[in-house]
């Protein structure tokens, strides 16, 4: 283990305070930056005024800080390009790291080491919003990380991250740099929670933790945006749930503007008060300061906190998936994890046709409808013969990464298609699926999917298929399950809770004698997987069981089969959420016949399958209607459209309003703007996230244009 991580486990570690606001207080001029065109580019100072930066580092070591951060927060090609010096990223990181290491060497003694953290900021582009592509950003971070590593930094601090996708690009970029240079150092990752209580796109702390945990970084934490008071609740969450040590580097309070300049009010003693509580009550192990904190702040923090003993924690790690908004645990207390099946080019004609036409709005609307119907997670499959799946996945995932509040299951036979999706998802996705169809060698499907899962921090659905095909009986299913589990854990370093086993079922609807007992084998396998492989989860594509039957019979058989599987321990299922019927709503006769079919209770003169077909001979499927708004006054329909961001049919409603005598201006001012006001309130109170506000704004724009 690195000496830094050993120290983190032994005692409280104190980082330095602000770099940026300290530089500002030095009153530097254009010449100090190397010319007026470079003024404000703090990262250049490591070559133009290394004395100033060295002095700041020294001022923090002098007051007793253990770690200083390099002056490289914005030293990657994206922010540097704003000064026309993107090509100097490597040079500046190398110089900054060497400079900080020289200062650290002056202070370090054999029993008092001092460390240098290579600072990696978020840059100025937002990959989740399409401002820059994941792969480009990852490669840019790799260059920065190589410079820092070559300059000798002791750890990376990926900080002030407001977009989980950018954070992931930074982590993967650092890992690639470490692999190339053959030197492993710890990764400390810190996100920024705004005063509204989420990260900038609306990311909750639980979502951030669930995305970061499977990246297997060494320390997780918070910095910037607010003072320590506003961080308390988020730190409490980390304290209760994070398996990693926790870092907190707050600003010196919320900034205010005094005489046209940012001003931070928190005094050194106040900062020390907060840190003392964070350490002794929440078990925080790494502390320091961000904007507005000075050596005087850190002196007080060191004096008060350096010798404290952090409270001991017993964090409850919860396995799950996450969108960039909120966390969904795999284990659902009162339900099963509902995976929506409709966003599938093979499983829905409507979805397939929309995809083939490039009608992505319809694809996205189908995703959102499933969430309204109760899906917790969405299965997304674009596989279609003759299409380039990576392009289709790219188009779809770039939209769903912000438009879907639910996390995604990337369903494809092609690992490249999965990766095209992963490159848009800042949260934690599930890969569907790995199996042993083509063995376990290098480059096999299982090998590629498990490597993607490790690199991007995804979970994996594992199908019980081996070189001989889909496992039919229980013993075969269990052999495959154990084999995949052992490979995942021992060879790929995945954890049991990263794995979701799919025991697979053949249709019970064919009448084929060979398949009659397949439902039983599936249920028994679910029970044994939960028993023999502790920590793993289970899932099932339930609708497969009823292929070929008419819709009404399918809904009932699917619902009854799902119920039997859940009773055996099934954690999740891929279903049409709106079509699952609770058992008590299914008439007894239908339920009994489905149970007889599932458990293969044929008797002389009684075949449950024949009986099922007979019962449903003239039953039509009931469809669940969308809320009927036709009775609403047109004013109410229009303002609701703005709130929902629903453009489908907008023009007809506008025509109707104008025909009723309302002027366009009155419609805008009295109806549409009322809707926007509601949107504003929902956003302000945190109930609506930014991308949905944008949808509403787009609808508003379309209405005004019309
Ligand atoms: N296990 C795992 N993944 C899977 C499956 C599985 N992914 C795909 C599939 N099986 C689960 N998804 C579906 C999606 C739709 C249907 C069945 C399974 C379905 N669709 C209707 C039909 O085809 O009749 C609706 C058609 C329409 O609306 O056009 O039944 O087992 N891991």
């Amino acid at each position: 283990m690195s000496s830094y991580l050993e120290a983190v486990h032994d005692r409280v570690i104190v980082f330095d305070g602000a770099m940026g606001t300290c530089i500002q207080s030095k009153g530097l001029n254009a010449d100090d930056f190397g010319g007026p065109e470079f003024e404000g580019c703090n990262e250049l100072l490591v070559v133009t005024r290394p004395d100033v930066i060295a002095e700041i580092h020294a001022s923090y070591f002098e007051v007793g800080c253990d770690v200083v951060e390099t002056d490289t927060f914005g030293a990657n090609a994206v922010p540097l390009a704003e000064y026309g010096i993107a090509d100097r990223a490597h040079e500046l990181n190398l110089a900054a790291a060497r400079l900080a290491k020289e200062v650290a060497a002056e202070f370090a003694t054999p029993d008092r080491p001092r460390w240098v953290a290579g600072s990696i900021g978020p840059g100025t582009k937002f990959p989740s919003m399409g401002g820059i592509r994941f792969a480009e950003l990852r490669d840019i971070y790799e260059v920065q990380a190589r410079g820092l590593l070559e300059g000798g930094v002791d750890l990376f601090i990926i900080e002030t991250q407001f977009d989980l996708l950018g954070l992931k690009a930074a982590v993967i970029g650092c890992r690639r740099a470490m692999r190339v240079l053959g030197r492993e150092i710890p990764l400390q990752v810190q996100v920024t929670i705004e005063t509204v209580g989420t990260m900038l796109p609306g990311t909750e702390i639980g979502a951030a933790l669930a995305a970061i945990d499977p990246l297997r970084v060494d320390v997780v934490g918070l910095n910037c945006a607010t003072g320590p008071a506003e961080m308390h609740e988020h730190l409490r969450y980390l304290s209760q749930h994070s398996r990693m040590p926790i870092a907190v580097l707050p600003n010196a309070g919320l900034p205010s503007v005094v005489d046209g300049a940012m001003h931070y009010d928190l005094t050194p003693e106040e900062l020390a008060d907060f840190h003392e509580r964070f350490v002794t009550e929440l078990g925080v192990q790494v502390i320091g300061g961000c904007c507005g904190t000075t050596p005087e702040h850190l002196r007080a923090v060191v004096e008060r906190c350096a010798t404290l003993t952090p409270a001991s924690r017993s964090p409850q790690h919860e396995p799950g998936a996450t969108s960039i908004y909120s966390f969904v645990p795999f284990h659902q207390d009162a339900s099963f994890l509902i995976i929506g099946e409709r966003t599938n080019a093979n499983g829905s004609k409507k979805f397939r046709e929309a995809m083939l036409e490039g009608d992505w709005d319809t694809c996205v609307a189908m995703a959102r409808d499933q969430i309204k119907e109760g899906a917790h997670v969405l299965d997304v499959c674009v596989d279609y013969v003759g299409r380039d799946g990576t392009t289709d996945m790219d188009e779809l995932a770039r939209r769903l990464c912000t438009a879907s509040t639910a996390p995604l299951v990337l369903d494809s036979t092609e690992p490249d298609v999965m990766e095209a999706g992963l490159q848009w998802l800042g949260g934690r996705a599930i890969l569907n699926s790995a199996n042993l169809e083509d063995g376990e060698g290098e480059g096999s499907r299982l090998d590629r999917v498990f490597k993607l899962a490790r690199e991007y921090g995804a979970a994996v659905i594992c199908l019980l298929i081996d070189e001989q095909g889909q496992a039919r009986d229980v013993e075969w299913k269990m052999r495959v399950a154990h084999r995949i589990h052992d490979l995942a854990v021992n060879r790929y370093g995945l954890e049991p809770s990263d794995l979701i086993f799919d025991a697979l079922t053949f249709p019970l609807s064919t009448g084929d004698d060979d398949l009659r007992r397949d439902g039983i084998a599936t249920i028994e396998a679910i029970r044994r997987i939960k028993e023999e492989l502790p920590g793993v989860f289970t899932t099932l594509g339930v609708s497969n069981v009823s292929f070929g039957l008419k819709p009404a019979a399918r809904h009932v058989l699917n619902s009854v089969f799902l119920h039997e599987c859940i009773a055996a321990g099934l954690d999740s299922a891929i279903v049409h959420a709106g079509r699952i019927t609770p058992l008590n709503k299914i008439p007894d006769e239908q339920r009994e016949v489905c149970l007889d079919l599932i458990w293969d209770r044929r008797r002389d003169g009684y075949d449950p399958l024949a009986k099922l077909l007979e019962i449903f001979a003239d039953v039509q499927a009931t469809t669940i209607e969308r809320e009927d708004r036709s009775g609403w006054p047109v004013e109410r329909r229009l303002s609701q459209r703005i709130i929902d961001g629903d453009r489908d049919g907008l023009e007809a409603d506008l025509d109707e309003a104008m025909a009723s005598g309302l002027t366009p201006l009155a419609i805008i001012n009295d109806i549409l703007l009322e809707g926007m006001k509601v949107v504003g309130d929902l956003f302000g109170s945190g109930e609506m996230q930014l991308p949905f506000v944008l949808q509403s704004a787009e609808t508003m724009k379309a209405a005004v244009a019309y």
Side-chain angles (χ1 to χ4, degrees):
M1 198 192 274
S2 80
S3 67
Y4 171 71
L5 285 183
E6 273 174 21
V8 168
H9 288 281
D10 275 359
R11 60 187 170 91
V12 175
I13 296 296
V14 184
F15 265 62
D16 58 1
M19 170 64 74
T21 48
C22 263
I23 292 174
Q24 273 165 32
S25 70
K26 301 275 174 192
L28 302 178
N29 60 35
D31 288 345
D32 295 312
F33 290 94
E37 68 272 38
F38 301 123
E39 202 167 351
C41 182
N42 288 344
E43 289 71 16
L44 270 171
L45 294 171
V46 299
V47 292
T48 58
R49 288 296 306 271
D51 57 312
V52 172
I53 301 303
E55 189 185 304
I56 293 174
H57 289 326
S59 69
Y60 284 118
F61 281 138
E62 268 159 16
V63 299
C65 295
D66 300 293
V67 190
V68 299
E69 293 188 30
T70 55
D71 176 28
T72 53
F73 182 77
N76 71 61
V78 176
L80 292 177
E82 291 168 17
Y83 297 93
I85 50 170
D87 57 338
R88 296 184 64 184
H90 181 267
E91 168 211 340
L92 292 176
N93 283 284
L94 181 64
R98 284 188 174 150
L99 181 63
K101 283 295 285 185
E102 277 166 25
V103 181
E106 287 167 23
F107 285 87
T109 63
D111 36 294
R112 182 73 206 282
R114 309 283 184 136
W115 295 280
V116 170
S119 167
I120 297 181
T124 44
K125 289 185 176 169
F126 208 149
S128 286
M129 295 285 189
I132 186 167
R133 280 200 162 258
F134 174 88
E136 188 191 352
L137 188 56
R138 174 198 64 204
D139 294 348
I140 281 171
Y141 279 128
E142 182 181 338
V143 173
Q144 175 170 25
R146 286 165 82 149
L148 291 169
L149 268 177
E150 286 169 39
V153 298
D154 303 294
L155 69 144
F156 291 118
I157 175 169
I158 297 172
E159 58 174 320
T160 325
Q161 297 291 319
F162 56 84
D163 178 356
L164 290 177
L165 188 58
L167 180 157
K168 208 176 282 192
V171 169
I172 296 178
C174 285
R175 287 251 156 79
R176 291 188 172 197
M178 291 192 281
R179 204 177 318 136
V180 170
L181 295 177
R183 187 160 90 88
E184 292 282 324
I185 59 173
L187 281 165
Q188 178 164 321
V189 171
Q190 295 167 190
V191 297
T192 295
I193 309 276
E194 305 290 330
T195 43
V196 292
T198 63
M199 289 164 68
L200 199 57
T203 313
E204 293 164 3
I205 185 68
L209 180 61
I212 294 168
D213 177 272
L215 296 173
R216 310 287 180 86
V217 301
D218 301 284
V219 179
V220 69
L222 307 178
N223 74 284
C224 209
T226 71
E230 294 78 10
M231 291 179 170
H232 192 266
E233 274 312 297
H234 314 303
L235 280 177
R236 182 199 303 282
Y237 184 92
L238 292 180
S239 178
Q240 289 170 345
H241 298 283
S242 168
R243 302 193 281 184
M244 299 159 273
I246 300 165
V248 56
L249 283 69
N251 290 350
L254 286 172
S256 53
V257 179
V258 175
D259 296 335
M262 288 295 212
H263 183 77
Y264 296 89
D265 289 331
L266 204 72
T267 65
E269 289 307 321
E270 287 168 333
L271 181 63
D273 288 343
F274 277 107
H275 276 326
E276 181 173 2
R277 290 186 53 196
F278 292 161
V279 171
T280 57
E281 292 173 16
L282 300 178
V284 168
Q285 286 153 285
V286 179
I287 56 181
C290 200
C291 304
T293 59
T294 63
E296 284 320 304
H297 284 93
L298 274 299
R299 182 197 304 281
V301 170
V302 169
E303 281 172 4
R304 189 91 68 78
C305 304
T307 56
L308 294 174
T309 305
S312 73
R313 301 190 290 126
S314 21
Q316 298 297 309
H317 168 67
E318 254 194 296
T322 178
S323 65
I324 60 165
Y325 305 116
S326 41
F327 171 64
V328 177
F330 290 152
H331 176 77
Q332 296 283 319
D333 280 335
S335 170
F336 63 103
L337 182 78
I338 301 173
I339 305 176
E341 71 178 20
R342 303 269 299 147
T343 29
N344 183 335
N346 301 304
S348 158
K349 184 158 174 271
K350 180 173 168 193
F351 183 87
R352 173 171 61 247
E353 286 174 353
M355 183 185 94
L356 294 178
E357 280 167 27
D359 175 8
W360 301 110
D361 284 352
T362 296
C363 296
V364 169
M366 288 183 72
R368 294 169 64 159
D369 284 347
Q370 294 190 93
I371 298 171
K372 284 189 204 148
E373 286 180 345
H376 299 118
V377 179
L378 304 178
D379 188 71
V380 175
C381 175
V382 298
D383 288 357
Y384 190 72
V385 186
R387 296 276 291 191
D388 177 359
T390 58
T391 315
D392 285 331
M393 184 56 94
D394 183 65
E395 291 288 348
L396 190 57
R398 87 158 72 206
R399 291 169 171 84
L400 290 180
C401 71
T402 55
S404 168
T405 52
L408 302 188
V409 176
L410 301 172
D411 184 345
S412 177
T413 54
E414 282 303 317
D416 288 343
V417 173
M418 293 179 189
E419 189 164 22
L422 287 169
Q423 297 202 344
W424 283 105
L425 303 177
R428 183 181 203 215
I430 301 169
L431 304 180
N432 185 10
S433 53
N435 65 56
L436 286 165
E437 200 170 22
D438 60 350
E440 54 176 66
E442 175 106 24
S444 65
R445 196 178 143 71
L446 177 122
D447 175 61
R448 295 180 65 198
V449 174
F450 279 173
K451 281 178 177 159
L452 285 177
R454 258 319 284 271
E455 180 162 38
Y456 290 87
V460 191
I461 293 179
C462 305
L463 305 188
L464 303 189
I465 298 176
D466 67 9
E467 295 88 337
Q468 273 66 55
Q470 177 167 334
R472 293 287 307 282
D473 55 68
V474 181
E475 293 310 322
W476 184 1
K477 285 182 198 274
M478 294 312 298
R479 267 198 316 277
V480 183
H482 278 277
R483 195 174 147 206
I484 293 180
H485 170 276
D486 293 352
L487 283 166
V489 171
N490 300 330
R491 190 190 290 173
Y492 295 92
L494 293 165
E495 293 182 69
S497 63
D498 295 329
L499 308 177
I500 304 171
F501 280 94
D502 183 338
L504 293 172
T505 185
F506 284 98
L508 286 175
S509 43
T510 61
D512 190 335
D513 265 2
D514 282 357
L515 300 179
R516 289 277 189 164
R517 299 190 65 80
D518 263 59
I520 299 173
T522 301
I523 294 169
E524 178 62 8
I526 291 167
R527 204 183 53 70
R528 283 188 54 187
I529 288 167
K530 292 299 285 184
E531 204 174 272
E532 295 174 24
L533 299 172
V536 308
F537 295 91
T538 50
T539 194
L540 193 68
V542 169
S543 304
N544 293 356
V545 82
S546 64
F547 267 131
L549 297 176
K550 57 191 292 184
R554 290 194 72 179
H555 303 163
V556 173
L557 179 57
N558 290 350
S559 298
V560 176
F561 187 58
L562 174 64
H563 184 269
E564 295 303 291
C565 292
I566 290 173
L570 187 71
D571 299 295
S572 71
I574 309 174
V575 294
H576 185 165
R579 296 274 190 280
I580 294 297
T581 315
L583 231 40
N584 60 358
K585 293 237 173 89
I586 297 175
D588 285 350
E589 185 192 29
Q590 295 181 9
R591 194 169 85 194
E592 284 309 319
V593 95
C594 287
L595 287 171
D596 288 342
L597 179 62
I598 292 163
W599 295 104
D600 192 25
R601 295 196 282 243
R602 281 172 288 178
R603 294 188 299 270
D604 263 351
Y606 170 62
D607 178 347
L609 181 59
K611 180 81 181 167
L612 186 70
L613 296 174
E614 184 193 314
I615 292 177
F616 282 95
D618 27 58
V619 181
Q620 294 307 312
T622 47
T623 53
I624 288 135
E625 292 296 329
R626 218 177 109 161
E627 185 179 29
D628 181 10
R629 295 183 178 158
S630 57
W632 292 16
V634 69
E635 290 89 344
R636 180 154 171 231
R637 267 184 275 141
L638 277 170
S639 63
Q640 193 64 41
R641 283 185 177 285
I642 301 293
I643 299 167
D644 293 345
D646 174 14
R647 269 173 285 172
D648 185 17
L650 174 67
E651 298 189 355
D653 280 358
L654 288 169
D655 284 337
E656 187 183 330
M658 288 188 286
S660 76
L662 289 164
T663 66
L665 208 59
I667 295 175
I668 292 171
N669 286 334
D670 301 337
I671 302 173
L672 302 177
L673 281 177
E674 278 306 306
M676 278 312 287
K677 212 169 132 263
V678 176
V679 172
D681 291 345
L682 290 170
F683 180 61
S685 65
E687 287 169 59
M688 193 186 226
Q689 292 97 354
L690 188 60
F692 301 97
V693 177
L694 297 179
Q695 289 286 341
S696 295
E698 283 301 316
T699 309
M700 184 76 196
K701 238 166 68 185
V704 172
Y706 186 67

